[in-house]
Amino acid sequence: MKKIFVFLLAFNICIANELISPIPQSIEFDKEKALLGKKLYMDKSLSKDGTISCNTCHLIDNYGVDNKMTSPGVNNAQGVFNSPSSFNAVFNFVQFWDGRAKDLKEQAKGPLLNPIEHGLNESEVVQKVKDNNDYKKDFDKLYGEITFDNIADAIAEFEKTLITPNSPFDRYLRGDENAISEQAKRGYAAFVSNGCTSCHHGVNVGGNMYQKFGIFIQYPNQELLGLFDRTKREEDKMVFKVPSLRNVEKTAPYFHDGTMPALEQAVQFMAYYQLGKFLEEDTINDITAFLKTLTGEYNEQTK
Ligand code: HEC
Ligand code: HEC
C-alpha cells in the first residue's frame, strides 16, 4: 500500500516538474530601447504632480512591489487593488488582476492615464517626454518620433529585463538536489498533492489562467468582483488571474485586496477557500518553506 502511495506521489511530482518550469537566464530584448524604458519607468515628471513613477509602486530594488496593502498615487489618492509585481510579469498570459491588458505594452498605458496613478492624458504624457531634451535623441534614433505608443513600447522593453532566474527551486528543477532543504522538498510534495499546482504552475507558478477566488468557501470581501467588473457576465464573478508565486516571500501583503499580511496565512486561506481543506501547521510551514525557494535573483541588464 505504502509503495503504491510513494509511486503515486513520485508520479505526481514528475508531472509537476513539467508543470513548473525554470525562468530562463535572460530573454531577448532590445538593449537601447530597454535603457530608454528604464529612464521612463523611473521618471516622476511623468505624473500630474511630479511625485509618481512606475517605480513608486513597483520598486526595482524591492522585487517590483511596494509592500503596501494598496498604493497611493498622485495627490495621495488610494487605489483599490494590491500592486502585483512588475517582476516576471512578462511571463503572465495577460496583465492586471482581471486580465484587461493583453501584454506589457498595452498594460503600461493604463497607469499613465489612470487618474489615481500617474493622472495624465495621452497628449500630456507625450508633451512631458518632449519637454525633456534627454529623451529626444533616443526617440529620434530608436523610434523616429515621440508618441504615446512608443513610450509604452520602451517601458515594456525594459520590463523584459525584470526577471529573476536562479531561484533555489529553479536550480533544483535543473538537477541540483541540494539547492533546497528537506523541508522545502516536503513542502513541494504537499503543494502538488494538495492540488495547488492545478492553478499555480508554468514559469510563473501562476499567471497563466483565470480562476474563481472562493471555490469552496466564499471570499468575504465581495467589493471587487474581478473579471465580472469588466465583462458583467455572471460566471465571471470573483474570477481573477491566478497570481504568480515567484518571489512571493518578498511581495506581501497578499490577495487582490492586500488584506493578508503573512505568507503562512495566505497558504492556509488558499487551502480553505480554494480546496475546502484545513492544513496542519507542519504542512503550512513546509509549503511556506517551499514557496520561499521561489525567490530569485534580479540580474540588472540595464546598467
Ligand atoms: C500608484 C501605484 C502604481 C503606479 C504608479 C503604477 N502601477 Fe502598475 N499596478 C498597480 C496596481 C494597483 C496594479 C493592479 C491593478 C489591477 O489589476 O487593476 C498594477 C498592475 C501592473 C502590472 C500587471 C502585473 C500583473 O501581474 O498583472 C504591471 C506589469 C505594472 N503594473 C507595471 C506598471 C508600469 C510599467 C507603470 C508605469 C507606467 C506602473 N505599473 C505604474 C499600481 C501602480
Ligand atoms: C482553483 C485555483 C487555485 C488553487 C487550487 C490554489 N490557488 Fe492560490 N490563488 C488562486 C487565485 C485565483 C489567487 C488570487 C486570489 C485573489 O484574488 O486575491 C491565488 C492567490 C494565492 C496566493 C497569494 C499570492 C499573492 O501575490 O497575492 C498564494 C500565496 C497562493 N495562492 C498559494 C496557494 C497554495 C499554497 C495553494 C494550495 C494550498 C493554492 N494557492 C491553491 C488560485 C488557486
Side-chain angles (χ1 to χ4, degrees):
M1 187 63 205
K2 206 169 165 200
K3 262 189 188 150
I4 295 177
F5 176 72
V6 170
F7 171 77
L8 281 176
L9 197 66
F11 184 65
N12 235 331
I13 290 175
C14 276
I15 296 176
N17 262 337
E18 277 166 40
L19 287 178
I20 299 181
S21 23
I23 292 180
Q25 295 300 330
S26 69
I27 57 173
E28 221 175 282
F29 69 100
D30 181 312
K31 178 118 191 218
E32 285 181 286
K33 286 184 180 173
L35 283 167
L36 169 59
K38 184 183 184 182
K39 273 193 252 169
L40 295 161
Y41 188 99
M42 308 299 288
D43 190 347
K44 288 187 179 164
S45 75
L46 300 181
S47 63
K48 185 137 215 135
D49 59 5
T51 62
I52 303 291
S53 73
C54 307
N55 196 57
T56 306
C57 304
H58 305 283
L59 283 80
I60 59 172
D61 58 9
N62 189 43
Y63 292 91
V65 293
D66 59 6
N67 294 127
K68 297 195 168 97
M69 192 161 131
T70 61
S71 312
V74 288
N75 301 322
N76 279 319
Q78 275 293 336
V80 288
F81 280 104
N82 176 251
S83 305
S85 180
S86 54
F87 277 27
N88 306 307
V90 65
F91 302 120
N92 291 337
F93 84 128
V94 289
Q95 305 298 330
F96 288 124
W97 283 100
D98 63 2
R100 68 188 177 279
K102 71 172 190 304
D103 57 26
L104 287 176
K105 180 173 165 182
E106 192 177 309
Q107 194 287 325
K109 295 176 179 178
L112 290 167
L113 306 182
N114 188 325
I116 54 171
E117 292 185 347
H118 295 242
L120 300 172
N121 64 38
E122 282 192 26
S123 53
E124 286 171 331
V125 175
V126 172
Q127 196 52 50
K128 282 183 189 287
V129 174
K130 281 186 175 161
D131 286 348
N132 184 338
N133 272 333
D134 273 1
Y135 289 124
K136 191 178 177 331
K137 226 175 64 211
D138 290 341
F139 274 95
D140 279 351
K141 180 172 171 215
L142 300 170
Y143 292 101
E145 60 176 331
I146 298 176
T147 64
F148 188 57
D149 205 60
N150 292 338
I151 291 167
D153 186 78
I155 294 174
E157 205 59 33
F158 168 59
E159 289 180 285
K160 291 184 191 167
T161 69
L162 298 179
I163 64 174
T164 56
N166 299 324
S167 71
F169 190 68
D170 285 359
R171 286 188 269 125
Y172 176 71
L173 282 182
R174 291 197 169 100
D176 178 357
E177 283 287 323
N178 300 321
I180 68 174
S181 68
E182 287 308 315
Q183 187 188 21
K185 286 178 194 169
R186 280 199 306 275
Y188 174 40
F191 189 76
V192 174
S193 62
N194 280 292
C196 310
T197 34
S198 59
C199 298
H200 296 280
H201 58 248
V203 179
N204 263 355
V205 199
N208 62 1
M209 61 163 87
Y210 295 113
Q211 280 291 337
K212 181 169 171 173
F213 186 27
I215 294 183
F216 279 83
I217 311 285
Q218 178 173 308
Y219 187 60
N221 179 0
Q222 300 272 319
E223 243 163 75
L224 297 163
L225 295 173
L227 220 57
F228 175 86
D229 286 332
R230 87 182 155 82
T231 65
K232 304 293 173 209
R233 290 194 318 215
E234 200 56 29
E235 66 266 34
D236 289 342
K237 273 200 179 141
M238 290 309 282
V239 171
F240 293 88
K241 184 181 71 191
V242 176
S244 165
L245 300 183
R246 289 287 178 183
N247 307 309
V248 69
E249 158 190 24
K250 306 286 186 187
T251 62
Y254 304 104
F255 297 155
H256 67 268
D257 53 9
T259 50
M260 202 54 59
L263 188 53
E264 287 82 357
Q265 272 176 305
V267 170
Q268 176 69 287
F269 277 103
M270 264 291 124
Y272 178 65
Y273 293 127
Q274 299 305 74
L275 302 160
K277 286 183 187 175
F278 272 109
L279 299 180
E280 299 292 328
E281 204 179 320
D282 284 351
T283 310
I284 294 172
N285 292 338
D286 290 352
I287 292 180
T288 305
F290 155 65
L291 291 176
K292 289 183 177 175
T293 69
L294 295 171
T295 303
E297 292 163 13
Y298 168 49
N299 167 22
E300 198 175 341
Q301 304 168 80
T302 49
K303 276 192 198 134

